[in-house]
Amino acid sequence: MATVLITGANGEIGHGLLQALAQQGGHRVVALDLHAPDDGVKSLCHRFVVGDILDVPLLRALAAEHDFDLVFHLAALLSTKSEREPTLAHQVNVNGTLNLLELAVSLARRLGRSVKFLYPSSIAVYGLPDPESKRRAGRVGEDDFLTPRTMYGINKLYCEQLGRYYALFYRQLDAETPRGRVDFRGIRFPGLISAVTVPTGGTSDFAPEMLHHAAQGQPYACFVRPDTRIPFMAMPDAVKALIGLADAPPERLSRPVYNVTSFSPAATELEARVRAAFPDWRMTYEPDLKRQAILDSWPEDTDDSAARSDWGWEPDYGLERAFDEYLLPGVRRRYGSA
Ligand code: AKB
């Protein structure tokens, strides 16, 4: 039995991850979220704690009660919300992550063994200067264009570095090096699309919003230009990637943070997929130029060859399969739409 802490357990990734871990078996999950669990979520957890990652005494109490082997630190404010409340974003995304890394390192040192720390980062760490450079760059590697223009992207990039520091150099001047360490593993996700949950506060939200509006028979004013292109992934693949990276033997990992990706459609290709399923759907493009500028700074594709060769990452869902076998059947079930 591995004892697992999941922060932000009530969020989009949390839902899928809890289900996947329950199906796999062998995990005792302690879930933490600001909000009380949805129906169904609670039954998948050994314990559900309603609380804040900024509450250090609460985190200390959790670490005193549970010897965590693995932490999935999912709690975060997404990019649009972070742009509207930058200081709150910094508190939650940076100070919250620091608190969790402190929990992990103190536990690792007390137990004298590694505590794995899985950290979802984002394509928001990239900052392409303009649409022309974005087109020319194509697939972007982990070490390129790391000049984000959003508070969220800056938070994520810094926390990747914090994780690397806690894993490799934490208190490097101490006379003795204790045995336990944080085994930090970061993963840069593209925009995620789920059939069961709708994201809030992201800038890649236009894709899931198209799908969920259409499935409910609601018109949609899309806030991006028709030619907007960023990478996306179906939620089951995001969960698969997190579990795959968590399970990878440490000696196979050559980097602290990996890109993972699945498909990179233009907004019009997403629209066409949704429209083919819901032909009466009404949709217009009404670009929000400020959110568009953020999307124009994110790459149109990422190079995930390191993840593929180091730990065997491979998505199950391309664009066609994601729509035909996961998204469309899922939203039809959810909303009872034809
Ligand atoms: C967002 O839009 O903020 C997120 C992300 C790409 O990390 N979905």
Side-chain angles (χ1 to χ4, degrees), residues 30-332:
V30 177
L32 175 64
D33 200 290
L34 269 183
H35 305 287
D38 295 351
D39 292 346
V41 164
K42 202 172 174 185
S43 62
L44 303 173
C45 306
H46 165 72
R47 181 175 171 200
F48 195 104
V49 179
V50 177
D52 192 338
I53 56 169
L54 297 178
D55 183 347
V56 172
L58 170 68
L59 297 183
R60 288 204 180 120
L62 287 178
E65 288 169 60
H66 304 280
D67 294 345
F68 296 114
D69 302 290
L70 173 58
V71 177
F72 289 99
H73 174 39
L74 310 181
L77 256 59
L78 296 183
S79 53
T80 292
K81 170 95 173 144
S82 295
E83 232 30 60
R84 301 210 158 112
E85 300 199 55
T87 49
L88 177 66
H90 194 277
Q91 277 164 26
V92 174
N93 295 347
V94 176
N95 299 353
T97 302
L98 185 71
N99 292 345
L100 267 299
L101 285 165
E102 276 294 320
L103 174 150
V105 82
S106 56
L107 206 50
R109 288 181 168 210
R110 173 162 70 73
L111 300 173
R113 60 171 162 78
S114 287
V115 173
K116 278 187 206 167
F117 195 102
L118 268 288
Y119 181 67
S121 185
S122 162
I123 51 164
V125 298
Y126 296 110
L128 284 298
D130 51 68
E132 180 45 35
S133 314
K134 168 168 166 156
R135 256 188 308 278
R136 256 188 289 115
R139 301 178 74 200
V140 166
E142 279 94 347
D143 301 322
D144 301 326
F145 299 105
L146 295 176
T147 45
R149 62 177 283 158
T150 61
M151 180 52 121
Y152 172 73
I154 291 164
N155 295 164
K156 287 287 179 188
L157 186 58
Y158 174 62
C159 288
E160 291 179 358
Q161 292 296 321
L162 262 187
R164 183 172 158 273
Y165 167 76
Y166 270 78
L168 300 178
F169 304 116
Y170 180 74
R171 296 190 68 105
Q172 57 194 295
L173 299 182
D174 284 2
E176 285 176 24
T177 313
R179 280 214 336 276
R181 59 180 280 272
V182 177
D183 180 356
F184 178 85
R185 302 173 181 204
I187 190 161
R188 283 187 196 150
F189 282 125
L192 301 179
I193 318 182
S194 166
V196 284
T197 51
V198 191
T200 49
T203 313
S204 62
D205 291 3
F206 64 94
E209 282 175 4
M210 277 188 199
L211 176 70
H212 286 265
H213 275 74
Q216 294 174 84
Q218 294 171 353
Y220 182 59
C222 184
F223 62 84
V224 306
R225 276 194 324 261
D227 67 336
T228 305
R229 191 187 294 276
I230 59 162
F232 280 101
M233 178 178 285
M235 191 57 78
D237 272 333
V239 170
K240 174 181 164 175
L242 271 175
I243 293 177
L245 182 55
D247 287 347
E251 63 278 7
R252 296 295 308 270
L253 303 181
S254 62
R255 358 179 5 100
V257 181
Y258 289 89
N259 282 341
V260 289
T261 193
S262 298
F263 43 85
S264 281
T268 46
E269 291 170 68
L270 293 167
E271 178 202 346
R273 296 262 162 198
V274 177
R275 191 173 296 293
F278 304 103
D280 297 334
W281 178 48
R282 277 177 299 126
M283 192 205 117
T284 49
Y285 287 97
E286 296 175 25
D288 171 337
L289 297 184
K290 292 182 176 163
R291 290 178 94 186
Q292 182 72 51
I294 292 176
L295 290 158
D296 288 343
S297 77
W298 292 352
E300 60 176 41
D301 199 359
T302 60
D303 179 356
D304 62 1
S305 51
R308 288 173 184 263
S309 62
D310 284 6
W311 46 278
W313 155 248
E314 199 186 349
D316 288 333
Y317 295 92
L319 180 63
E320 189 171 330
R321 184 158 181 235
F323 270 85
D324 293 351
E325 296 183 29
Y326 166 65
L327 294 170
L328 293 170
V331 290
R332 285 193 169 110

